[in-house]
Amino acid sequence: MPCHNDSADLQFFVSVGKVVRHLSLFLFGSRFLGSEDHAGFMYVCSTLQSLQGLPLPNQPYLFGLLVHRAEVPWAKAFPLRLMLRLGAEYRYPCPLYSVRFRKPLFGEIGHTIMRLLVDFRNYRYSLPLVPGLTVDLEAQKTLINISQLMKAINKSNEHVLAIGASFNETADSHLICVQTDDGQYQTQAISIHNQPRKGLMVQVTVETMVEIRRSLREMKDYTVTCGRLDQPESRELVCLQWVEEVISPIDGKSMESISSTKMFQKSEHKENGKIIRWTEQVFFLVRGHNPKRGVTDSAEQSRLTERIARAFCLALCPHLKLLKEDGMAKLGLRVTFDSHEGFVAGSNGQPLPAQYLNALDSVLIPVIHSRGHKRGEQPLVMELIFYILEDIT
């Protein structure tokens, strides 16, 4: 399917003009793939799954997961819940294949607080999903990492603050919702050890809710202490914390207001006990409007970006240990496409030392020049961010 990518979302067009993106739903009105129970497809991007050996098309692409008709309400209102439940049933964090004629993983909505938060009949209102918001569960502590929340706060009920989080790729396990045969809901965790976990619903006083809302509007962190006052050893903390502003490693400038897109294609390489990983985010510092630029050009740009990220990682692989020891664990690569093509690489607000730039020169310049420059084409400047991590495998 050809791609149209003028925003931060990956969007694909099928022949009838239906736009699909990560966690979107495409329904069929009648019998499909041999059963009336097959409702359609929910589309997902690959994250932690192995793609080795799969016959894949050129990026960007999505995987279609077959949705049972009884699962449609969750696929519409809270698709992440269905995605993770499929992961618990078949393959962590979610399968990239479909199983026909399977039993539904959810039945009737039943008794759940979600009935108060979502209009399952007409879908006039639903749980607000906050991009970039993740939840980390630690020992006796729950961290809610926030990057943008004002819209959800303004639309939420005065006495209830309910928000939907994004998939957290850095977590070693994920909470899932399981519906039992009698219609009750349970919270479990999918991970290597499959340890049971508690769900996240915190009841606070009216005064505390006012303080929480005030702190969030002022973009300040806030901690809620849960548990009995006479049992301090059993207390747990729920910490709402604003994540660090995205800063360019090259010049230290904020990237918050800069247009960006996520490529959903990992570029990760290991050497000498270290890993260099691309965040998959592409920031467009300059992106001239070109009305003649079609979906083919967009797909070519995506492939070129992935080649650049891969070349950057491979060139620095022999130097990862030294870079990390010298405090350069977060790296930026800024590439310019115009009549004077080139790149800048840096860390901690400074250009990389000459030895690393020389290593990058020989591999990056040929890739950048392979794009070519067309007459009348607007300049393009994009920045990629990489991290050097410890290899604990």
Side-chain angles (χ1 to χ4, degrees):
M1 291 180 288
C3 166
H4 177 74
N5 195 15
D6 283 341
S7 69
D9 290 317
L10 290 176
Q11 300 181 352
F12 296 79
F13 288 89
V14 295
S15 58
V16 296
K18 173 70 176 180
V19 179
V20 294
R21 55 174 65 86
H22 179 57
L23 292 181
S24 68
L25 181 66
F26 185 84
L27 296 176
F28 297 90
S30 57
R31 185 180 180 86
F32 179 60
L33 292 178
S35 174
E36 297 285 350
D37 290 331
H38 298 154
F41 286 109
M42 180 176 70
Y43 293 92
V44 299
C45 293
S46 59
T47 52
L48 306 176
Q49 304 93 336
S50 172
L51 303 180
Q52 187 174 1
L54 294 181
L56 299 173
N58 293 326
Q59 277 279 4
Y61 53 80
L62 296 170
F63 292 85
L65 304 182
L66 195 59
V67 174
H68 194 284
R69 202 161 296 280
E71 299 164 350
V72 169
W74 291 114
K76 285 185 174 182
F78 201 10
L80 185 62
R81 171 172 285 194
L82 177 58
M83 186 192 89
L84 291 174
R85 181 63 183 90
L86 285 166
E89 191 71 16
Y90 296 104
R91 186 177 292 265
Y92 173 85
C94 81
L96 300 181
Y97 56 84
S98 296
V99 178
R100 290 197 298 162
F101 312 116
R102 63 175 174 82
K103 293 182 178 179
L105 300 178
F106 293 103
E108 292 291 329
I109 300 301
H111 300 289
T112 169
I113 192 168
M114 293 295 287
R115 275 192 174 277
L116 302 176
L117 306 174
V118 178
D119 176 13
F120 284 106
R121 183 181 297 274
N122 300 311
Y123 300 98
R124 290 172 299 184
Y125 57 88
S126 184
L127 189 71
L129 304 179
V130 180
L133 185 147
T134 59
V135 180
D136 295 333
L137 297 183
E138 300 178 359
Q140 294 188 304
K141 183 188 293 186
T142 299
L143 300 177
I144 302 176
N145 306 302
I146 307 163
S147 58
Q148 48 180 307
L149 194 60
M150 292 302 106
K151 198 173 187 180
I153 292 178
N154 293 334
K155 289 187 175 182
S156 64
N157 183 286
E158 181 182 355
H159 302 293
V160 178
L161 185 58
I163 47 181
S166 303
F167 180 75
N168 187 353
E169 292 188 35
T170 63
D172 57 9
S173 63
H174 290 84
L175 289 177
I176 62 165
C177 177
V178 176
Q179 190 174 20
T180 60
D181 292 337
D182 60 359
Q184 300 299 311
Y185 293 94
Q186 296 179 350
T187 300
Q188 297 181 10
I190 48 174
S191 65
I192 297 175
H193 302 291
N194 201 31
Q195 295 294 325
R197 300 276 186 149
K198 296 180 180 179
L200 284 184
M201 184 173 70
V202 181
Q203 186 172 2
V204 298
T205 64
V206 174
E207 293 77 16
T208 300
M209 177 61 76
V210 172
E211 292 178 11
I212 291 174
R213 288 178 173 274
R214 182 186 300 116
S215 297
L216 291 175
R217 291 185 188 279
E218 296 175 357
M219 300 185 70
K220 296 180 179 178
D221 296 349
Y222 192 88
T223 299
V224 180
T225 303
C226 306
R228 294 173 58 94
L229 295 177
D230 58 348
Q231 297 179 2
E233 69 281 353
S234 64
R235 292 181 190 172
E236 295 194 14
L237 302 178
V238 177
C239 305
L240 294 91
Q241 58 184 24
W242 291 88
V243 296
E244 180 183 357
E245 184 181 25
V246 180
I247 300 294
S248 169
I250 297 173
D251 54 21
K253 294 182 179 179
S254 173
M255 309 280 278
E256 289 296 318
S257 60
I258 294 176
S259 172
S260 67
T261 186
K262 194 171 179 66
M263 302 299 292
F264 298 102
Q265 178 63 36
K266 283 187 177 299
S267 187
E268 176 180 294
H269 298 271
K270 304 178 182 180
E271 192 160 324
N272 297 326
K274 300 291 186 289
I275 299 174
I276 182 169
R277 178 180 297 166
W278 175 34
T279 62
E280 306 172 53
Q281 202 81 5
V282 183
F283 294 90
F284 296 100
L285 283 74
V286 177
R287 193 179 191 181
H289 177 65
N290 188 350
K292 295 182 179 179
R293 187 170 179 264
V295 293
T296 302
D297 290 330
S298 179
E300 289 177 356
Q301 181 64 56
S302 298
R303 289 193 291 271
L304 178 62
T305 304
E306 292 156 19
R307 288 177 57 203
I308 290 173
R310 184 165 56 251
F312 183 89
C313 292
L314 290 173
L316 292 183
C317 264
H319 311 284
L320 296 183
K321 190 172 185 295
L322 189 57
L323 282 164
K324 188 86 180 325
E325 289 174 353
D326 288 342
M328 291 180 280
K330 182 180 179 182
L331 308 167
L333 173 65
R334 186 175 299 167
V335 182
T336 300
F337 296 103
D338 60 10
S339 56
H340 304 287
E341 294 178 328
F343 73 91
V344 178
S347 181
N348 300 318
Q350 299 290 331
L352 291 182
Q355 66 184 99
Y356 306 121
L357 292 177
N358 291 336
L360 290 169
D361 249 354
S362 59
V363 295
L364 280 180
I365 293 300
V367 178
I368 294 171
H369 285 174
S370 69
R371 178 178 184 264
H373 185 73
K374 301 174 184 177
R375 178 185 291 272
E377 190 172 42
Q378 298 294 318
L380 172 67
V381 181
M382 63 184 187
E383 184 165 330
L384 286 64
I385 296 178
F386 303 79
Y387 286 93
I388 301 177
L389 311 168
E390 296 293 332
D391 184 3
I392 59 174
T393 58

